[in-house]
Amino acid sequence: MHSVAHHSLDVAACAIRLVEAFHPPIPVSAGTLAALVACHDIGKFTRTFQAKVEALWPAALGPFVTPPAGWPHDEAGYLLLIEALAPQLDPLFVHWKVPSARLPLLRAIAGHHGRPPKERDTALPRTVACPACIEAAGAFVAAAFAALGPPPLPALEKSDRHRLAWFLAGLAVLADWLSSSRRWFPPVPAAAHADLTRYWHEVALPRAGEAIAAVGILPAPVSPLTGFAMLFPAIAAPRPLQAWAETTELPAGPTLFLIEDATGSGKTEAALILAHRLMIAGKGDGLFFALPTMATANAMHARLAEAYGRLFAPGNRPSLVLAHGRRALNPGFTDTILEDAADPSAMPPEPADQPASAQCAAWIADDRRKVFLAEVGVGTIDQALLAVLPSRHAPLRLLGLTRRILIVDEAHAYDAYMFEELRRLLAFHAALGGSAILLSATLTSAQRGALAQAFGAATGESSSGEAMAAYPLATIMSATGTSATPIALAPELHRSVVVERVADMAEVVERIVTAAAAGAAVGWVRNAVDDAIEAAGMLRQRGLDPLLFHARFAMADRLAIEARVIERFGRDSAFEARRGHVVVATQVIEQSLDLDFDLLVTDLAPADLVIQRAGRLWRHPGRKRPPGVDPRLLLLTPEPVPDPPEQWLGRELRRTGAVYVDHALLWRSARVLLAAGKIATPAGIRPLVEEAYDRDGPDAEPPGLERATWRAEGKRQAARGQAWQNLLSFDRPYERHAGLWEPDARTLTRLGDPQRNFRLARLASGQILPWAEHEDPAQAWALSEVSVRVARLADAAPDPETDPLVAQIRQSWPRWDRDIPVLIFRPHRAMKMRAIALGPDGNAVEIAYDPWCGLVLDARSFPSLG
């Protein structure tokens, strides 16, 4: 047994060491924070907790009596801290005149199991906390404060108290997890270490220092050498944006950089230069690169793998973690903790009843969470957005981000709900002392102003620079003010892409077949998965063998296809390797992927997204091209007639209308793009985007599209309202009624139709095997997952033959995975594999899977795939 008193001092010791890596947003003594954290488990002094092991029932509590249920130790501890033990906490709060002002901090330490404690109207009953319990708890608090000697907290404004509470909540969780590892904190005989002051100095502090140094939670030293040549020695000279990033003055305090520049201008390198300079200036110890999709995160991970080590001093092994991937160069913290962790699949359902080591195992067993404990993390923006939603352990994500430079790529690429989430993330990040860099090629002035306003709300700067119309443009915001600098575009990036309308699919197919025969590398971007599958089938019927790339593949197949697309059409692809090849893809290739096509076809989309897609066209200057081709974008769209009817998009783009519900925006986009006849970089970018999004201009909303426009506006306003209702706020308390505080998997970062994960399996010789092959069965099942809208597919169909086998397999899965339906595929004559599932109406539907085209939810709709 390790007594609660000794464990609590272990946690306090970890907290005091962690403050060296994670600096509080308000100047506060590390000893004071540690003293508060020492009280985190004060609820374990209750009869309810002590009764968990009858053999260890303390004699001071009298004969063993089963206490009442329903009093988890986090809730009981919170009540002890605000009631019976309040006088003993007074020395920490002598400068705080109102007793209720301390409640956010006490919730933060009591709520160390991932969510704030419940607020109860009733006092602790004596059957839960008897006088002997309260006396023991009070004696511990007195002994702990005597050992730590904490100075009182300074007087703080309400907003600063809330900021400190959010920080303290994350600190308490991480300290508790670290100190719950028996490797570093083995049990000690309580009688032999009765002197808690001596234990603090001779045992707890040294062990905490060893543990934190060993697990790699402290950041690697930053390299003092900076500059473009040092970070990117393989690139001959910086482009104008990169040169600006190397020399611009860095303001004091949290800083926001908004960078708007053309596709291919070197925004990623500029962001890394800025991030490194901010790290040298002490504004961060690492960075988190947030991207809109899994494919873009994969690509960024590969790009950073070459350069990230140069951000840190030679001789160190900083960690680089991909948020959703299987690779980590230095597992560090996670491996060490998990070594002694309990099995997370066996945890009790109530968080306060779960061992800290098991909670740690459960939370970071998912690779996506490692990004917040790595020096360099790369992932989808969803992982960062969970920090500002009432999800389990949200404060721990905030703590990890506090010392990371937050870089958000494609900052324009989010719908109304996610855009509000991003704004709140920026506000939280600034409030906790963080700096951020936002990158975009097609940000509107209104978006720029809204993002700057959110960051400024936490720093006290109100100017947004929204009116600045130059392009490219770099905006800097801090507490000292806002400045905007026009940036020159590198001469080789000045270009003009012809925009040509094509009226129907038949014409698109003819143009692609002709271009491929001439040796062109062709990309076709479709707005819906089913449209992409249908288009690829049409090209196959004409003798082509296109790659098909979308999100409805099993993870193993999706990663393999992504690698082939990058190999065939990426920066390093050779002329002969790309010659005559075609890829049909959805929006997964729209942003951040460094792809280059000789001809690009796209379905109609909002103008900024069409411009993004055009950035994959003739991307690399100097590349060998087939004869007779020019930089040309074919836009599949109906004619933007002056008075379009309600069904203006037509049958071939009916799914586009479901994806982009503002049909007037689509109409304006087609009108401005075709009227210009080209996308001129840089001069044409800002006018095209601003005019497409100008709802107040002449004839901006045709009467025939009014109904769709109203529906779209209603959805936007509803999304914003839902975001405001769901999101946490840095200037509001850390409290239970802020939300549900559900696990990540049940906390949605994106609105829209609910999605459900399925696992694909094969039936072979009476055995159920995961679709993907991997030496680790857990990895094989994870790589066999695919996500589908619930409106299209609800569940797997019951099967008396295979259900017992599936139930047996599920027993080896982690507890949180056992509800994932398994789709069992069998060979079929037309498609390679077919299965039976349940549609949204509960009726059986026949579905198909093929490694070439992915999951087909209605194979009868695609006869060309047979």
Side-chain angles (χ1 to χ4, degrees):
M1 182 195 70
H2 197 51
S3 82
V4 61
H6 295 98
H7 167 69
S8 296
L9 289 182
D10 294 340
V11 179
C14 284
I16 210 168
R17 297 300 188 207
L18 285 170
V19 172
E20 299 172 15
F22 302 98
H23 310 318
I26 309 298
V28 176
S29 164
T32 304
L33 295 177
L36 284 167
V37 170
C39 301
H40 78 292
D41 265 345
I42 207 72
K44 290 183 177 178
F45 283 85
T46 59
R47 299 173 71 87
T48 309
F49 188 86
Q50 292 299 316
K52 287 183 178 292
V53 182
E54 185 175 351
L56 296 176
W57 179 259
L61 298 182
F64 179 83
V65 177
T66 302
W71 284 95
H73 75 270
D74 60 340
E75 295 175 21
Y78 177 62
L79 287 180
L80 279 174
L81 292 172
I82 67 174
E83 294 174 354
L85 301 180
Q88 292 189 264
L89 300 182
D90 286 345
L92 296 183
F93 298 99
V94 293
H95 300 303
W96 294 27
K97 304 305 181 185
V98 181
S100 61
R102 67 178 71 174
L103 297 185
L105 297 189
L106 301 184
R107 289 190 206 100
I109 56 175
H112 61 280
H113 286 278
R115 60 186 182 185
K118 284 182 181 177
E119 306 278 347
R120 299 213 185 200
D121 296 331
T122 58
L124 272 174
R126 290 172 64 92
T127 52
V128 173
C130 63
C133 295
I134 295 172
E135 181 182 354
F140 165 72
V141 173
F145 284 13
L148 275 68
L153 288 159
L156 297 174
E157 297 292 332
K158 180 188 287 188
S159 60
D160 288 339
R161 295 197 297 267
H162 293 324
R163 297 181 200 214
L164 186 58
W166 288 108
F167 174 85
L168 187 60
L171 181 71
V173 170
L174 189 53
D176 188 37
W177 285 359
L178 282 166
S179 59
S180 296
S181 169
R182 290 196 169 212
R183 176 174 181 177
W184 305 110
F185 297 92
V188 299
H193 293 277
D195 185 340
L196 293 186
T197 298
R198 186 173 178 181
Y199 179 81
W200 168 256
H201 290 289
E202 296 181 4
V203 182
L205 282 173
R207 283 182 174 180
E210 293 171 8
I212 291 175
V215 302
I217 202 70
L218 296 178
V222 177
S223 171
L225 304 175
T226 189
F228 182 85
M230 191 280 291
L231 291 176
F232 308 104
I235 303 177
R239 284 178 167 162
L241 176 63
Q242 297 159 349
W244 169 86
E246 196 172 20
T247 58
T248 190
E249 184 177 350
L250 302 181
T255 306
L256 173 67
F257 298 85
L258 275 158
I259 295 176
E260 303 167 74
D261 206 343
T263 300
S265 61
K267 292 188 292 293
T268 298
E269 291 79 7
L272 289 177
I273 294 169
L274 281 173
H276 191 219
R277 293 182 62 203
L278 291 168
M279 290 160 62
I280 292 173
K283 295 190 180 189
D285 301 315
L287 59 92
F288 176 66
F289 222 119
L291 298 111
T293 66
M294 181 187 302
T296 56
N298 285 339
M300 187 58 67
H301 179 273
R303 292 179 68 181
L304 288 181
E306 301 176 7
Y308 87 101
R310 290 189 282 273
L311 300 171
F312 301 91
N316 291 278
R317 291 189 60 207
S319 51
L320 170 65
V321 175
L322 178 61
H324 57 80
R326 315 297 170 186
R327 297 164 289 178
L329 301 186
N330 179 10
F333 171 79
T334 51
D335 280 359
T336 304
I337 294 297
L338 290 175
E339 208 168 274
D340 300 304
D343 177 11
S345 66
M347 290 194 299
E350 177 59 41
D353 293 331
Q354 299 164 359
S357 57
Q359 282 199 347
C360 175
W363 197 81
I364 61 178
D366 186 334
D367 285 346
R368 293 173 295 182
R369 291 151 178 159
K370 294 181 182 180
V371 294
F372 303 103
L373 302 168
E375 280 93 348
V376 179
V378 183
T380 55
I381 194 169
D382 305 75
Q383 295 305 309
L385 296 178
L386 283 167
V388 294
L389 288 164
S391 62
R392 198 73 54 83
H393 296 301
L396 184 57
R397 292 176 185 270
L398 287 171
L399 181 77
L401 284 171
T402 297
R403 293 298 296 166
R404 303 293 177 262
I405 308 302
L406 175 64
I407 305 175
V408 180
D409 200 7
E410 313 294 358
H412 62 277
Y414 304 104
D415 61 21
Y417 185 79
M418 293 189 73
F419 191 76
E420 292 302 320
E421 289 178 306
L422 175 56
R423 295 181 69 237
R424 191 63 56 87
L425 177 63
L426 290 174
F428 251 108
H429 197 55
L432 297 179
S435 293
I437 304 168
L438 307 185
L439 309 177
S440 175
T442 54
L443 202 66
T444 67
S445 58
Q447 287 175 317
R448 185 203 317 144
L451 293 169
Q453 185 276 332
F455 193 88
T459 62
E461 166 60 9
S462 59
S463 173
S464 66
E466 181 178 338
M468 195 72 175
Y471 185 89
L473 185 69
T475 304
I476 303 177
M477 166 180 271
S478 71
T480 59
T482 299
S483 64
T485 304
I487 304 292
L489 187 69
E492 65 272 18
L493 296 180
H494 285 257
R495 66 177 193 159
S496 182
V497 171
V498 175
V499 177
E500 179 184 345
R501 174 179 171 265
V502 285
D504 54 45
M505 294 271 289
E507 183 181 354
V508 170
V509 170
E510 288 299 328
R511 296 289 292 270
I512 290 177
V513 169
T514 301
V522 184
W524 186 0
V525 184
R526 307 234 60 196
N527 293 328
V529 172
D530 287 343
D531 284 345
I533 294 173
E534 181 181 19
M538 293 173 67
L539 292 174
R540 263 194 162 187
Q541 288 183 323
R542 295 296 303 274
L544 297 181
D545 185 22
L547 282 173
L548 183 56
F549 186 24
H550 56 72
R552 217 161 64 202
F553 282 98
M555 182 60 66
D557 292 334
R558 179 173 173 174
L559 293 174
I561 293 167
E562 180 181 311
R564 286 199 294 273
V565 169
I566 293 173
E567 179 182 10
R568 188 168 292 174
F569 303 103
R571 174 181 290 275
D572 298 325
S573 58
F575 176 75
E576 290 301 325
R578 1 174 335 108
R579 183 182 178 90
H581 284 288
V582 179
V583 60
V584 180
T586 57
Q587 295 89 334
V588 292
I589 68 168
E590 183 175 275
Q591 299 165 103
S592 295
L593 291 182
D594 193 2
L595 304 178
D596 188 333
F597 300 102
D598 301 318
L599 174 68
L600 189 74
V601 185
T602 176
D603 294 351
L604 176 63
D608 55 325
L609 303 185
V610 173
I611 293 170
Q612 286 285 337
R613 297 173 188 185
R616 317 303 126 190
L617 185 64
W618 286 50
R619 183 179 177 91
H620 302 132
R623 180 187 289 279
K624 183 180 178 182
R625 307 284 177 185
V629 300
D630 60 353
R632 183 173 297 268
L633 182 139
L634 303 183
L635 186 65
L636 176 59
T637 177
E639 185 73 37
V641 294
D643 189 16
E646 185 173 1
Q647 302 301 321
W648 171 72
L649 285 171
R651 185 182 180 282
E652 290 189 339
L653 291 180
R654 66 191 185 281
R655 296 189 182 104
T656 288
V659 174
Y660 303 113
V661 295
D662 190 342
H663 296 181
L665 171 61
L666 293 175
W667 177 83
R668 290 194 301 272
S669 297
R671 183 175 67 169
V672 300
L673 287 165
L674 295 177
K678 62 183 179 181
I679 300 172
T681 306
I685 301 296
R686 184 85 74 195
L688 287 174
V689 174
E690 296 294 345
E691 187 175 345
Y693 279 88
D694 181 7
R695 298 172 57 192
D696 300 321
D699 305 318
E701 296 186 351
L705 303 180
E706 275 185 349
R707 289 180 59 187
T709 300
W710 293 340
R711 286 195 299 268
E713 181 59 21
K715 286 188 175 183
R716 276 193 293 267
Q717 294 298 339
R720 292 190 185 104
Q722 191 167 346
W724 296 335
Q725 182 178 5
N726 292 347
L727 289 166
L728 303 171
S729 180
F730 71 87
D731 55 2
R732 298 289 299 164
Y734 175 65
E735 55 193 357
R736 188 64 164 263
H737 63 70
L740 296 176
W741 302 96
E742 292 274 27
D744 297 357
R746 296 203 291 269
T747 304
L748 298 179
T749 57
R750 303 181 186 228
L751 291 185
D753 293 336
Q755 301 272 330
R756 186 164 195 186
N757 283 343
F758 290 84
R759 286 186 167 175
L760 310 187
R762 296 173 286 119
L763 186 63
S765 303
Q767 287 187 304
I768 294 177
L769 304 175
W771 179 267
E773 296 181 359
H774 195 282
E775 60 186 11
D776 179 358
Q779 291 282 63
W781 282 111
L783 289 168
S784 300
E785 286 188 16
V786 64
S787 183
V788 184
R789 288 191 299 126
V790 174
R792 299 293 305 278
L793 206 63
D795 207 342
D799 186 337
E801 177 189 356
T802 59
D803 285 350
L805 299 175
V806 172
Q808 184 177 357
I809 289 170
R810 282 197 173 109
Q811 293 306 307
S812 65
W813 294 355
R815 179 172 54 84
W816 55 86
D817 285 346
R818 292 177 187 170
D819 292 334
I820 300 177
V822 179
L823 299 173
I824 301 173
F825 287 83
R826 296 171 170 85
H828 187 274
R829 61 184 182 277
M831 298 284 288
K832 288 196 172 181
M833 304 291 275
R834 293 213 175 189
I836 303 298
L838 297 180
D841 56 3
N843 293 325
V845 294
E846 191 176 45
I847 60 175
Y849 189 85
D850 185 289
W852 176 76
C853 67
L855 187 64
V856 178
L857 302 181
D858 185 2
R860 294 169 299 177
S861 300
F862 302 105
S864 58
L865 300 178

